[in-house]
Amino acid sequence: MKKIIEIQSVTASYDGKSVLQDVSLTLWERDFLGIIGPNGGGKTTLLKVILGLLKPSHGQVFFYENDRSVPSLNIGYLPQVNRIDRRFPISVYEVVASGLMAEKQALRSFTAIQRQRIAEVIDWTGLGELSKRPVGELSGGELQRVLLGRAIVSRPKALALDEPNTYVDKFFESRLYELLAEINRETAVILVSHDVGTILPLVKNVACINETLHYHEGNHLTETWIDEVYHCPVELVGHGDLPHRVLRKHDIAIT
């Protein structure tokens, strides 16, 4: 299996506070990496370092294609908080199409192949009936679907998602996970979540970030391992296809 992203000894700070310490990690082709950890542990910071949105104070991130080092990699990104101005008169179709702007020749229209790809992604995400609708009229869950479409329409080498179910409506949540499984057939997926139980059935490997990194190959986490890396007892409780997590009774230190 070929590596596509390699993080070497990365240390990073955010708002003057040290968030990551000496983190090393490798992402492989068609990997499905779940990044978990407590709030404030550095999950989103690690994602921003990978995406080049935050420069580490120490260490480096390397990218590869066909076993060759490259300066950058096409990575689709679905942020936890969207920055689209809902007052801006732009349609669902135009937002998804904006994911292909890097491929589009200046001052020219999209090619027939590109238009077909846009249409396929819109239908695939269940937005066919909304393609002409302004994004300002969408629900939070619908908008997340649009942004997912924009992130994948360019067929990236990797797709990074930060708490993707934050605004997704319950109707689409199970479909979202099905889509990610389909995407993962050709694309590496990095999924950041605070909810351990929900992502375990989806992922192939797990990285727990709590300033430092604890890597676990596979998705079968033992109770002991979770206790050690979270420093807080967590039980995984399954209900159908969407398990979730609960905390066992434990002492809370008050400072």
Side-chain angles (χ1 to χ4, degrees):
M1 190 175 295
K2 300 176 182 178
K3 60 184 176 183
I4 58 174
I5 300 175
E6 186 174 25
I7 302 167
Q8 290 187 359
S9 304
V10 160
T11 295
S13 300
Y14 198 76
D15 290 335
K17 177 185 177 183
S18 177
V19 181
L20 298 177
Q21 286 287 340
D22 196 26
V23 169
S24 296
L25 179 67
T26 299
L27 184 75
W28 307 91
E29 283 184 339
R30 293 183 294 280
D31 197 355
F32 198 136
L33 179 68
I35 299 181
I36 62 174
N39 291 335
K43 301 186 300 294
T44 297
T45 300
L46 177 60
L47 206 58
K48 289 181 177 180
V49 169
I50 293 172
L51 294 165
L53 301 176
L54 179 66
K55 185 177 180 180
S57 55
H58 183 270
Q60 291 181 282
V61 179
F62 299 96
F63 303 105
Y64 300 88
E65 284 194 58
N66 299 318
D67 287 331
R68 294 183 179 181
S69 179
V70 292
S72 63
L73 198 69
N74 180 10
I75 304 176
Y77 178 42
L78 183 64
Q80 182 178 1
V81 179
N82 70 74
R83 302 296 183 185
I84 287 184
D85 186 349
R86 287 176 171 266
R87 298 169 297 179
F88 191 75
I90 187 170
S91 70
V92 168
Y93 182 94
E94 290 168 324
V95 173
V96 174
S98 69
L100 288 179
M101 292 305 293
E103 298 181 20
K104 180 177 174 289
Q105 294 186 7
L107 305 178
R108 293 194 177 185
S109 301
F110 288 110
T111 66
I113 292 176
Q114 290 170 332
R115 291 195 300 271
Q116 180 180 356
R117 199 189 310 173
I118 295 166
E120 288 174 349
V121 168
I122 288 175
D123 287 339
W124 196 49
T125 51
L127 297 166
E129 296 181 358
L130 304 176
S131 63
K132 296 181 180 179
R133 183 171 297 182
V135 294
E137 298 179 6
L138 302 180
S139 68
E142 290 168 342
L143 182 57
Q144 282 295 79
R145 280 190 262 170
V146 175
L147 298 179
L148 175 62
R150 182 180 67 178
I152 64 175
V153 72
S154 65
R155 297 177 180 171
K157 295 294 183 181
L159 173 65
L161 307 100
D162 192 358
E163 304 284 1
N165 60 345
T166 302
Y167 298 105
V168 172
D169 50 79
K170 293 301 179 182
F171 174 78
F172 185 69
E173 186 172 7
S174 60
R175 176 58 180 155
L176 170 65
Y177 297 135
E178 291 174 0
L179 288 177
L180 293 181
E182 293 177 28
I183 291 169
N184 187 229
R185 292 174 184 171
E186 297 184 358
T187 304
V189 176
I190 307 171
L191 175 60
V192 170
S193 178
H194 69 279
D195 193 341
V196 183
T198 297
I199 72 166
L200 283 185
L202 305 170
V203 303
K204 297 174 181 175
N205 300 296
V206 177
C208 182
I209 301 293
N210 193 2
E211 190 172 359
T212 57
L213 180 142
H214 300 262
Y215 183 83
H216 188 284
E217 187 173 346
N219 64 355
H220 180 67
L221 304 186
T222 65
E223 186 175 289
T224 300
W225 188 88
I226 294 175
D227 285 358
E228 288 176 352
V229 299
Y230 264 83
H231 303 296
C232 186
V234 175
E235 288 182 350
L236 305 180
V237 181
H239 291 282
D241 296 327
L242 291 176
H244 62 275
R245 67 187 174 99
V246 296
L247 297 178
R248 300 195 304 276
K249 182 177 180 180
H250 60 290
D251 295 329
I252 300 176
I254 300 176
T255 57

